[in-house]
């Protein structure tokens, strides 16, 4: 777990970590597969990435989750990433694998599963092994669109599942499932803000309370989990 002074320092450190991994993988295999998180925290990081940071023609960009809205909708993670990153870097359109949330949750999940299988050249039982998955953390312990109490948490077969965010602003989602997150070579949680201090403390405390939080189930079998927080989010970390 690495703690940084504020959200800007955190974004700079997350960018450095991402580029370090990208550099290693591009040197080793000539390709870097990255799954992006939605939400406001990673937007700072995406905005820091620059055209000459990496050979974008060899980066394959995916999404960890998406809302079931058109790609130009204000809530779209793709729109956020397009505005914060894609419009500024020379990544080929074919390298950007958008979740087509506008199809509706179940159809979008099936379509994305096919896209993952093609992009990673997977056999019927294979899992995609992302070089890096960026994840955020909700105050309820959700990550990607794996929300407490939803059926997506129990998905063991599908690579991509329909999700549902709770509460008044409940909306349909599409999300990578735990088998995919846990097949990754590296997962980086990027978390900022005092409103996350309680859930970070609950997760770090272990035990039943932590176990009930979806983010606690991100445990790659053969991969690293990196926690990158700002001071405010880590304020109550034991
Ligand atoms: C999304 C994200 C979601 C997000 C958390 C934290 O689609 O919104 O995938 O899991 O990471 O809700 O969001 P903030 O970074 O905005 O706090």
């Amino acid at each position: 777990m690495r703690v940084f002074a504020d959200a800007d320092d955190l974004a700079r450190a997350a960018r450095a970590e991402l580029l370090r991994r990208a550099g290693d993988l591009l040197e080793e295999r000539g390709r870097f597969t990255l799954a992006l998180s939605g939400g406001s925290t990673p937007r700072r990081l995406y905005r820091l990435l620059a055209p000459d940071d990496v050979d974008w023609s060899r980066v394959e960009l995916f999404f960890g989750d998406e809302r079931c809205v058109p790609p130009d909708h204000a809530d779209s993670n793709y729109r956020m990433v397009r505005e914060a990153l894609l419009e500024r870097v020379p990544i080929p359109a074919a390298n950007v694998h958008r979740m087509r949330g506008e199809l509706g949750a179940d159809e979008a999940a099936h379509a994305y599963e096919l896209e993952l299988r093609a992009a990673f050249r997977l056999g019927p039982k294979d899992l995609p092994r992302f070089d890096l998955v960026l994840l955020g953390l909700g105050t309820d312990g959700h990550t990607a669109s794996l929300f407490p109490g939803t059926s997506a948490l129990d998905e063991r077969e599908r690579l991509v599942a329909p999700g549902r965010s709770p509460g008044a602003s409940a909306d349909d989602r599409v999300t990578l499932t735990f088998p995919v997150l846990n097949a990754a070579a590296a997962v980086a949680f990027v978390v900022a803000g005092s409103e996350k201090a309680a859930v970070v403390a609950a997760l770090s405390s272990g035990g039943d309370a932590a176990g009930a939080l979806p983010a606690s189930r991100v445990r790659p079998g053969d991969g690293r989990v990196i926690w990158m927080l700002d001071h405010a989010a880590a304020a109550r970390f034991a």
Side-chain angles (χ1 to χ4, degrees), residues 98-147:
R98 179 175 75 83
M99 286 181 167
R100 292 182 289 164
E102 67 277 15
L103 298 176
D106 199 53
E107 192 175 337
H110 279 296
Y112 206 67
E113 175 139 351
L114 293 177
E115 179 137 5
L116 281 178
R117 291 196 177 284
F120 283 86
R121 298 178 185 78
L122 299 179
K125 292 291 181 196
D126 296 339
L127 290 170
R129 181 172 170 77
F130 283 100
D131 294 321
L132 178 61
V133 178
L134 292 177
L135 289 176
L137 177 67
T139 53
D140 61 358
H142 82 262
T143 191
S145 282
L146 296 161
F147 288 91

Side-chain angles (χ1 to χ4, degrees), residues 21 25 29 33-35 120 127-135 176-189 217-226:
R21 286 183 174 278
L25 269 301
R29 284 194 293 114
T33 55
L34 171 62
F120 283 86
L127 290 170
R129 181 172 170 77
F130 283 100
D131 294 321
L132 178 61
V133 178
L134 292 177
L135 289 176
L176 297 183
T177 56
F178 283 122
V180 173
L181 299 183
N182 289 332
V187 175
F189 283 94
R217 293 167 55 179
V218 176
R219 291 192 298 273
D222 178 18
R224 284 193 64 204
V225 181
I226 305 152

Side-chain angles (χ1 to χ4, degrees), residues 31-226:
R31 183 181 184 221
F32 181 60
T33 55
L34 171 62
L36 299 179
S37 169
S40 59
T41 306
R43 185 168 36 210
R44 289 175 193 268
L45 155 57
Y46 302 153
R47 284 176 174 158
L48 292 180
L49 291 169
D52 54 1
D53 270 349
V54 69
D55 178 355
W56 291 99
S57 69
R58 296 189 295 160
V59 175
E60 294 274 350
L61 273 189
F62 299 82
F63 287 78
D65 70 325
E66 184 55 279
R67 291 84 183 278
C68 290
V69 295
D72 57 356
H73 189 283
D75 292 345
S76 164
N77 288 339
Y78 171 79
R79 174 175 164 178
M80 181 273 283
V81 170
R82 176 171 56 77
E83 292 172 349
L85 176 62
L86 303 182
E87 289 175 349
R88 298 187 301 101
V89 298
I91 185 166
N95 290 29
V96 181
H97 303 274
R98 179 175 75 83
M99 286 181 167
R100 292 182 289 164
E102 67 277 15
L103 298 176
D106 199 53
E107 192 175 337
H110 279 296
Y112 206 67
E113 175 139 351
L114 293 177
E115 179 137 5
L116 281 178
R117 291 196 177 284
F120 283 86
R121 298 178 185 78
L122 299 179
K125 292 291 181 196
D126 296 339
L127 290 170
R129 181 172 170 77
F130 283 100
D131 294 321
L132 178 61
V133 178
L134 292 177
L135 289 176
L137 177 67
T139 53
D140 61 358
H142 82 262
T143 191
S145 282
L146 296 161
F147 288 91
T150 60
S151 58
L153 298 183
D154 304 319
E155 183 55 59
R156 285 281 166 274
E157 300 304 319
R158 294 175 73 173
L159 306 182
V160 192
R164 180 93 180 144
S165 75
S169 66
D171 59 335
D172 285 332
R173 304 284 186 101
V174 191
T175 186
L176 297 183
T177 56
F178 283 122
V180 173
L181 299 183
N182 289 332
V187 175
F189 283 94
V190 183
V191 186
S194 56
E195 72 278 10
K196 305 293 173 73
V199 67
V200 167
L203 279 168
S204 61
S205 67
D208 294 346
L213 301 171
S216 69
R217 293 167 55 179
V218 176
R219 291 192 298 273
D222 178 18
R224 284 193 64 204
V225 181
I226 305 152

